Amino acid sequence: MAESYTSSRNGDAMSNGPLNGSSPSLVNPTANNAALSNVIRKKLMGYVGFANLPNQVHRKSVRKGFQFTAMVVGESGLGKSTLINTLFNTTLYPPKEPLPPAEERPKTVAIESIGADIEENGVRLHLTVVDTPGFGDFVNNNDSWKPIVENIESRFDSYLEQENRVNRTKIVDNRVHACLYFIQPTGHSLKQLDIEFMRRLHTKVNLIPIIAKADTLTDEEVAEFKERILADIAHHNIHIFQAPTYENEDEETIAEAEEIASKIPFAVVGSDNFVNTPDGRQVRGREYPWGIVEVDNESHCDFVKLRQMLVRTYMEELREYTNDVLYENWRTEKLLSMGVAQDSSVFKEINPAARLQEERVLHEAKLAKMEAEMKMVFQQKVQEKEAKLKQSEEELYARHKEMKDALDRQRGELEDKKRRLESGRPLTPEKGSTTKKKTGFLGGR
């Protein structure tokens, strides 16, 4: 029977089989519906071969190998190293020796990375575990999250720098794909340090909350503790990693995803030691006077579900969400803060006639703007010229008035001299023309 496929109107072919879905935060349902409404469904007349693409991707992935970086954060003594060794069934962390009482304790949060190449059934994985010794171990834990945030952002910076290189053939992805946050099994609620840490990091890394040493709580206490933790997370709008849902999934897979989601936060017990059970089995677990806690027993703890989500089922989704959402959001903010803006017209399919009309409108607007600016400049020049002419006119008028006044004064003086000449009077008064009569002692008679 002929197989079916869907073809978009621009000629791109898409499979009509089960679609690989994505997390709701990665996909816009409105955009998907609009895209699906523009496809034409056709029938294949025979076998083509693109159904073999998943096998090609599988061979390429196995040949290339995988990279995964996990960060473990939590107070000392919560079993972080033991849980990592248990998760990957290898000794990444050697047994730690407690510091002697006289030994000086570190005063800051340290960042330590351990890398290992592990292989399983021909699949190679380069695993990097980032540890944060010292977190939450001080009397004053203010800003103890800062070194961790700076480390995550420095890894983003390193990846962005590699992307901007001319030669990008050897890009190393050292970004943190998952952060396992260990919560103390107090049985009450999250501490302020826990809330502040998750608030600071939930936009930069996939947070997976874990209740450490869950064998110290009863089943009822674990259930109540989980409810309080989820209530605190919801109240502070903290986003933790949720198992993504896909379209056209079978019921078994959907049930499995729902079961994993129902176990968050995971109440786990870690142990890389093997103990013998009363029925003769050898299991990984912890032996107590009252019985044995089995690590791989789902009725004892959530370790199996944690490993299933982190390693067996959603490791690639963690990498994808880190790259497509967390890193892209950080990259956008980083570039915008540097003044780099994206041209909205790039990669947009536009009708040439509409694009021409748009360019014409923009050109006319530009011409109109230039004309308005030229008119403004012309008017300004005219006003300046008129002001200068007016000032010159006022100066000329003042000089004319001054010269006219001077001429009037000279005319008056000349007329005065003329009258004196005509009347026979001297033009200037005579000096010494009159002599005073001298009188004697008895003069005057």
Side-chain angles (χ1 to χ4, degrees), residues 132-149:
T132 57
F135 177 81
D137 296 341
F138 312 112
V139 175
N140 183 5
N141 290 304
N142 291 337
D143 300 337
S144 59
W145 43 266
K146 276 189 176 179
I148 301 174
V149 174

Side-chain angles (χ1 to χ4, degrees), residues 172-433:
V172 179
D173 185 8
N174 63 345
R175 297 170 295 182
V176 178
H177 303 116
C179 176
L180 306 180
Y181 186 73
F182 287 73
I183 302 171
Q184 238 181 3
T186 60
H188 302 296
S189 61
L190 291 176
K191 297 188 294 185
Q192 188 61 37
L193 177 62
D194 303 328
I195 295 173
E196 187 65 21
F197 174 83
M198 289 193 281
R199 283 183 61 249
R200 299 286 181 173
L201 266 76
H202 75 109
T203 59
K204 296 178 174 63
V205 70
N206 293 306
L207 281 177
I208 302 177
I210 295 174
I211 300 174
K213 296 187 175 182
D215 50 345
T216 61
L217 302 173
T218 64
D219 292 343
E220 293 78 10
E221 290 173 340
V222 168
E224 293 177 358
F225 194 27
K226 285 186 176 184
E227 290 180 1
R228 295 192 187 102
I229 292 174
L230 293 176
D232 287 342
I233 289 174
H235 177 73
H236 293 91
N237 296 321
I238 297 172
H239 176 75
I240 60 176
F241 181 75
Q242 297 288 344
T245 57
Y246 298 97
E247 296 180 0
N248 301 329
E249 290 275 51
D250 56 83
E251 295 181 357
E252 182 180 354
T253 305
I254 295 175
E256 179 183 352
E258 292 176 351
E259 186 177 1
I260 291 176
S262 66
K263 297 295 183 180
I264 300 175
F266 299 98
V268 300
V269 177
S271 176
D272 47 9
N273 298 323
F274 287 87
V275 296
N276 294 318
T277 61
D279 57 359
R281 293 180 297 113
Q282 193 176 34
V283 297
R284 290 188 303 179
R286 294 183 176 274
E287 187 173 6
Y288 296 98
W290 43 264
I292 294 175
V293 177
E294 299 179 21
V295 172
D296 298 295
N297 191 334
E298 294 189 32
S299 62
H300 291 184
C301 68
D302 300 331
F303 172 79
V304 173
K305 293 301 179 186
L306 172 63
R307 182 179 59 190
Q308 188 175 356
M309 186 190 78
L310 183 64
V311 181
R312 296 185 177 179
T313 308
Y314 297 117
M315 177 178 282
E316 188 60 28
E317 276 75 5
L318 288 164
R319 288 162 41 88
E320 180 182 347
Y321 190 82
T322 299
N323 182 73
D324 296 345
V325 178
L326 302 176
Y327 171 71
E328 283 299 321
N329 291 340
W330 175 88
R331 180 178 176 274
T332 301
E333 294 178 1
K334 179 80 172 182
L335 295 179
L336 289 176
S337 65
M338 295 169 59
V340 180
Q342 175 67 45
D343 186 1
S344 59
S345 64
V346 177
F347 307 124
K348 184 187 294 184
E349 295 183 1
I350 302 177
N351 187 353
R355 183 59 180 268
L356 186 62
Q357 178 66 21
E358 181 180 353
E359 291 179 353
R360 184 183 294 109
V361 171
L362 292 176
H363 182 66
E364 291 177 354
K366 185 177 180 181
L367 289 178
K369 182 179 179 181
M370 292 176 61
E371 184 179 358
E373 292 176 352
M374 292 177 66
K375 285 183 178 180
M376 186 181 300
V377 172
F378 178 75
Q379 291 176 358
Q380 184 177 359
K381 294 286 186 182
V382 170
Q383 291 176 358
E384 291 177 357
K385 194 67 176 177
E386 288 179 349
K388 288 182 179 180
L389 291 174
K390 187 175 182 180
Q391 183 179 1
S392 300
E393 183 181 2
E394 291 177 353
E395 291 176 355
L396 289 173
Y397 179 75
R399 289 178 59 189
H400 174 72
K401 184 178 180 182
E402 183 180 353
M403 293 175 65
K404 183 180 180 182
D405 293 342
L407 289 174
D408 290 341
R409 286 196 300 272
Q410 290 179 3
R411 185 182 294 109
E413 291 176 358
L414 291 174
E415 290 178 353
D416 185 52
K417 288 180 180 181
K418 181 179 179 183
R419 285 193 300 271
R420 288 184 181 183
L421 287 173
E422 291 176 350
S423 61
R425 290 182 299 172
L427 298 176
T428 57
E430 296 180 357
K431 295 181 180 180
S433 58

Side-chain angles (χ1 to χ4, degrees), residues 26-131:
L26 296 177
V27 176
N28 186 354
T30 306
N32 280 348
N33 294 335
L36 292 176
S37 62
N38 293 328
V39 297
I40 304 173
R41 299 186 179 275
K42 298 181 179 179
K43 294 288 185 179
L44 292 178
M45 304 308 295
Y47 178 74
V48 176
F50 59 80
N52 196 41
L53 283 173
N55 297 331
Q56 299 177 29
V57 174
H58 172 73
R59 289 197 302 270
K60 178 182 176 182
S61 300
V62 171
R63 183 174 63 253
K64 185 178 179 181
F66 298 89
Q67 293 178 340
F68 190 77
T69 302
M71 174 179 282
V72 289
V73 181
E75 300 176 20
S76 299
L78 293 181
K80 302 186 295 294
S81 304
T82 303
L83 182 64
I84 292 297
N85 292 341
T86 311
L87 270 174
F88 295 97
N89 203 16
T90 185
T91 307
L92 289 173
Y93 285 94
K96 293 183 179 180
E97 297 182 0
L99 294 175
E103 187 74 18
E104 183 178 358
R105 265 57 176 175
K107 297 181 180 180
T108 58
V109 178
I111 305 293
E112 299 176 356
S113 297
I114 296 179
D117 292 318
I118 54 181
E119 184 174 345
E120 181 182 34
N121 295 334
V123 179
R124 292 178 292 107
L125 173 66
H126 180 74
L127 176 66
T128 303
V129 179
V130 183
D131 196 3

